[in-house]
Amino acid sequence: MEKTGQILSPGTIRFERNLPGPIDRVWAYLTESEKRGKWLASGDMELFEGGKVHLHFMHQQLSPLPDNIPEKYRDMKDGHHFTGTILKVDPPRLLAFTWEGGSEVTMELTEKEDRVLLTLTHRKLADDTKTRSSVGGGWHTHLDILIANLEGVTPPPFWSTHTRLAALYADMA
């Protein structure tokens, strides 16, 4: 399993992470606002096809470690939000929903003994360096923070981690 995301095709990136289980605990971190807010974004999620997904990002609050927001993301210093739509849901194994800009995110969970394989695929992205850098670095950072939460350790600061990883994804083809 690779740590970096894989570009599957133009506009599609996939991440795999081996997480501490059980699967119901990981599912809660994907679907419950309070738990999801610790690693990605809080907000209500209507868990049925056609239901709404409200995501409220507060990147500065994902880690207690000091961090500075990059100038290009300064408009997000007080948070960022959008509403998507549930495309598929099969608890506790599959969650798919629309993302800002018309793209789609699918999260699949597979039990592997006492661990859970999370496969996250983001499709229908613009196929350009700026998007690949931002989205690749963003998901990679959010998933590192998810792992830290599940393992009970202090998560890395979002923005400085994202900045470092965004450069890596900008170079991927």
Side-chain angles (χ1 to χ4, degrees), residues 26 60 131 142:
V26 176
Q60 291 290 110
T131 301
H142 282 296

Side-chain angles (χ1 to χ4, degrees), residues 27 31 46-49 86-91 94-96:
W27 181 255
T31 60
E46 300 172 340
L47 292 176
F48 56 86
E49 288 185 26
I86 297 283
L87 300 172
K88 294 180 185 175
V89 62
D90 181 16
L94 175 69
L95 178 64

Side-chain angles (χ1 to χ4, degrees), residues 29-106:
Y29 270 86
L30 302 184
T31 60
E32 294 176 14
S33 177
E34 182 181 338
K35 288 183 172 84
R36 189 177 355 92
K38 293 179 181 183
W39 71 277
L40 180 66
S42 62
D44 293 335
M45 188 175 276
E46 300 172 340
L47 292 176
F48 56 86
E49 288 185 26
K52 295 299 176 201
V53 176
H54 302 281
L55 295 176
H56 303 279
F57 294 83
M58 295 299 294
H59 298 96
Q60 291 290 110
Q61 296 176 10
L62 297 179
S63 173
L65 300 175
D67 201 16
N68 293 313
I69 188 167
E71 189 58 40
K72 69 180 178 179
Y73 294 109
R74 193 64 69 189
D75 61 327
M76 293 185 183
K77 75 177 181 67
D78 295 323
H80 177 72
H81 69 276
F82 67 87
T83 300
T85 303
I86 297 283
L87 300 172
K88 294 180 185 175
V89 62
D90 181 16
R93 304 196 185 288
L94 175 69
L95 178 64
F97 52 94
T98 60
W99 193 263
E100 188 173 37
S103 61
E104 297 176 359
V105 173
T106 301

